[in-house]
Amino acid sequence: MHTLAFGLPRLGEKRQYKTLLERFWQKKTSEADLLTGMETLEAERLNTYKTHVSIYPSGELSFYDPMLDVAVAVRLIPSRFQPYTGWESYFQMARGASALEMTKWFNTNYHYLVPEWEEVPLTAQPDFFLQAYALAQKLGHTSAWPSLIGPYTFLALSKKEGRPLSPDEIEKYAEKLLPAYRGLLEALQKAGAPAFLLHEPAFVLDEVPVPLVGYIYHHLAGLPIYLLTYYESVDFYPRLVELPVKGISLDFVSNTANRQALSQYGFPEDKVLIAGVIDGRNVWRANLKEKIREVESLSKIAREVWLAPSAPLSFLPLTKAPETHIPAAVWERLSFAKEKLAELRTLAAALQGDAQAQAEAAASEALWQGQPLGFHEPTRARVAALKENDFTRSVPYAERSRLQQEKLQLPPLPTTTIGSFPQTEDLRALRKAYREGKVPPEEYKAQIRQRIAEVIRFQEELALDVLVHGEFERSDMVEFFAERLEGFAITQQGWVLSYGSRVYRAPIIYGDVWRPQPMTVEEIRYAQSLTAKPVKGMLTGPVTILNWSYAPPNKSREEVAYQIALAILDEVQDLERAGIQIIQIDEPAFREGAPLKKRDWPEYFRWAVRAFRLASNAQPTTQIHSHMCYSEFESILPYIWEMDFDVVSIEASRSKGTLVEEFRRFPQWDRQIGLGVYDIHSPAIPTRETIAQVIEAARKVLPDKLLWVNPDCGLKTRRWEEVRPALIHMVEAAQAARTQVLS
Ligand code: GLN
Ligand code: ZN
């Protein structure tokens, strides 16, 4: 029985990938060093695959992004990059001054480069894939097959002039793409490649143009193609299995639809079923006994079954081996990318009657029996006892806003910021030294207090209306809370690529989540003690904490979201007791947890909205703010409104026009809103005039009494030299507009 795996993290055990790229970009190493380094890393990756599975990819070790690799390999290179050649051209497209747009890859936290259609001639330029294949061959990996993003996914995720392609354009550009794409595969075939792994995750999205998909694959007919679909089930199963390919992978983990389709329609004799049975998206060991039963039942339907992960392993940490700080019972149950490979090997061996593998499978089943990890009876009871009024503030918004204004006495168009202020080198060094035990807690606290005092003074000087404490004690808005809540484990080496060479570590939720003690009160209380102006309490919302963590095994996301929400609610109430009148609960990841298929959205937003409402069920006089960014919010405005906050700030610099339009189409909107008046992602300092224009535009659509003035996101990535003049201009523009409102 074959096993096939894909997506082994590029990063490497010592994060070599990051080092190699960054040193090259900083011109500390030569191109030759970069290439040799990457070869060494690839050799290591191929060996890891080989010791565990029988078939695996070549050409996976992208130098930045696999979508970009295909764009370059068919020479879809926008004309502005024509002056460049070779790797310089590649990295200009990836990260130059006019780089390609970057956006989220399906429902992962990875960001890909968006291919940009322009009327340039396409031709096959297979160098990268050929070299990767030659290396695999040289090293004796006869079962390493070239792996590429498939043509449909490539088209479906690309853009023209900043918009996704229309169905007509997809068709038109498919015509252009296919000869070059076919040329690419043929060049690889000529070099000896026995088969191809083509990734088509876009097959799982809504409304796939099935005739076009048929057209594309008929154009590639005759080539030995194995299609990989993942992240979800495929809606056009009967047509999918008719495509002229040798094998198809299906995700049997995310939901049961693929399994049902298989039972209903069967599986063609002439194809291999690549069964995605090992969960490629979470960090937990499988119950292999259950998997054995599943594969046995699949084998009754399909003639030939290979075992595979349900999704690429790319967005898991590489291995749990170096983790020494995770509780033993949790560690034992973890399975990162390498451990997933081992699970595939064990599963195959067990299915073939290997006694030791069967014993391991039985042990893995035993692992999940008995008391769940991190079980906390009081938390379970609290969630079970939730009533409708726990999700509803006691006083409706219209009345609340009056009560709040009575207390707060804010001017029209109040000014504020989103929470964080610059995280300078010395601040990072301080936090690091503290974590390593080189700075004693008392001194660390004193230093943080000093920075809080400075930022309060700074904001008072600037005459901002609602102040923040600056978030100097936080490195990451989710990790900070994960470290303080029960039920979370934090890895030391669990880095995952977010884009390019950028990495992040997601916390792991393993048990019931609850709050043993206050998490933010000390700093906020101190900040408030320094000023007569209101200081916003600053929390991360339950949906974002959940979406940016690995979810626990065997528990619904809804239940976890409510547990986190209750912990945040405890914090809200402690902040209220400390005299804090405004509390912001950030939900930047609210939108991105939404399922891939739109028909599943109502169910997701039902509980996501409720989780936020539970966490923010404060006194009527407490003004609840939320903040959202990184996504397109247009289509979800009604859900956002149901969150029932008092004020929201939305990052909209990239889609301001359409967002404003959307408000026109949603006349029920009655909440206060801060439309980001400048883009904090750019180092450019906005002028007073440009900010005034944004305020003007907003005033045309929304009543003055609803508008706030703020930057579009936190300021932590900016420098003080940029923040000071930008905020001065912002306050001046707001004050000027205010006189018009008042007159
Ligand atoms: N309060 C957070 C900050 O200002 C919000 C961050 C975010 O939106 N991602 O940094
Ligand atoms: Zn933001």
Side-chain angles (χ1 to χ4, degrees), residues 579-599:
I580 301 303
Q581 302 181 52
I582 304 184
I583 299 172
Q584 179 172 312
I585 305 179
D586 291 325
E587 285 288 16
F590 192 75
R591 158 76 180 80
E592 69 181 53
L596 291 173
K597 294 188 171 72
K598 279 227 165 95
R599 61 167 179 266

Side-chain angles (χ1 to χ4, degrees), residues 417-421 471 474 477 538-539 548 584 586-588 627-630 712-716:
T417 62
I418 303 304
S420 58
F421 269 84
E471 301 183 26
R474 308 182 189 178
M477 64 186 293
M538 196 57 65
L539 305 173
W548 284 350
Q584 179 172 312
D586 291 325
E587 285 288 16
H627 167 72
M628 301 187 159
C629 53
Y630 307 131
D712 69 354
C713 196
L715 301 167
K716 70 176 177 198

Side-chain angles (χ1 to χ4, degrees), residues 381-393:
R382 237 181 127 185
V383 171
L386 288 172
K387 304 256 165 6
E388 222 26 62
N389 61 4
D390 291 306
F391 299 95
T392 313
R393 291 182 77 179

Side-chain angles (χ1 to χ4, degrees), residues 84-300:
Y84 305 102
T85 57
W87 287 110
E88 193 185 4
S89 159
Y90 184 88
F91 288 126
Q92 281 295 331
M93 290 172 79
R95 56 191 297 279
S98 58
L100 298 180
E101 181 190 330
M102 204 161 53
T103 196
K104 262 173 64 80
W105 175 251
F106 295 85
N107 53 3
T108 71
N109 278 331
Y110 176 75
H111 300 74
Y112 71 96
L113 288 165
V114 182
E116 222 176 278
W117 282 91
E118 222 185 64
E119 305 306 323
V120 290
L122 303 190
T123 99
Q125 186 185 329
D127 303 11
F128 170 76
F129 293 101
L130 279 177
Q131 278 155 17
Y133 186 68
L135 176 69
Q137 265 182 324
K138 188 179 94 189
L139 299 172
H141 293 278
T142 45
S143 311
W145 296 350
S147 157
L148 296 84
I149 306 274
Y152 175 70
T153 297
F154 183 78
L155 287 161
L157 269 52
S158 56
K159 288 192 176 176
K160 184 187 177 167
E161 289 156 7
R163 323 165 269 102
L165 303 184
S166 69
D168 285 350
E169 283 168 332
I170 295 197
E171 232 174 288
K172 169 177 155 199
Y173 288 127
E175 289 287 344
K176 282 195 77 174
L177 174 66
L178 283 169
Y181 198 94
R182 193 179 169 100
L184 190 59
L185 300 187
E186 282 168 353
L188 283 158
Q189 206 176 23
K190 215 171 279 163
F196 303 102
L197 300 171
L198 298 194
H199 296 244
E200 289 286 17
F203 281 6
V204 311
L205 299 176
D206 289 309
E207 293 167 22
V208 174
V210 181
L212 178 69
V213 166
Y215 172 81
I216 290 175
Y217 279 90
H218 279 94
H219 195 100
L220 300 176
L223 291 164
I225 291 173
Y226 291 78
L227 279 181
L228 305 178
T229 76
Y230 44 79
Y231 296 143
E232 258 275 4
S233 53
V234 179
D235 279 351
F236 59 103
Y237 178 89
R239 302 292 302 279
L240 172 72
V241 297
E242 280 173 4
L243 295 176
V245 296
K246 302 200 82 151
I248 299 172
S249 87
L250 293 171
D251 171 350
F252 290 115
V253 171
S254 320
N255 64 33
T256 56
N258 280 337
R259 182 68 185 81
Q260 280 160 16
L262 201 80
S263 307
Q264 188 177 345
Y265 301 102
F267 194 81
E269 278 281 300
D270 64 341
K271 291 189 175 65
V272 174
L273 172 63
I274 305 168
V277 288
I278 295 291
D279 194 340
R281 292 299 295 276
N282 81 14
V283 291
W284 303 104
R285 276 175 67 181
N287 172 347
L288 291 180
K289 277 291 242 211
E290 196 183 287
K291 301 296 174 189
I292 290 173
R293 291 188 285 271
E294 195 177 347
V295 176
E296 281 170 349
S297 100
L298 294 173
S299 301
K300 294 201 177 96

Side-chain angles (χ1 to χ4, degrees), residues 329-364:
V330 177
W331 191 89
E332 190 190 10
R333 286 165 175 81
L334 286 175
S335 176
F336 295 171
K338 274 194 182 181
E339 291 81 29
K340 299 268 174 191
L341 294 180
E343 289 185 279
L344 280 171
R345 186 183 54 192
T346 308
L347 181 57
L351 279 155
Q352 279 149 356
D354 179 290
Q356 195 195 329
Q358 283 170 347
E360 272 178 53
S364 78

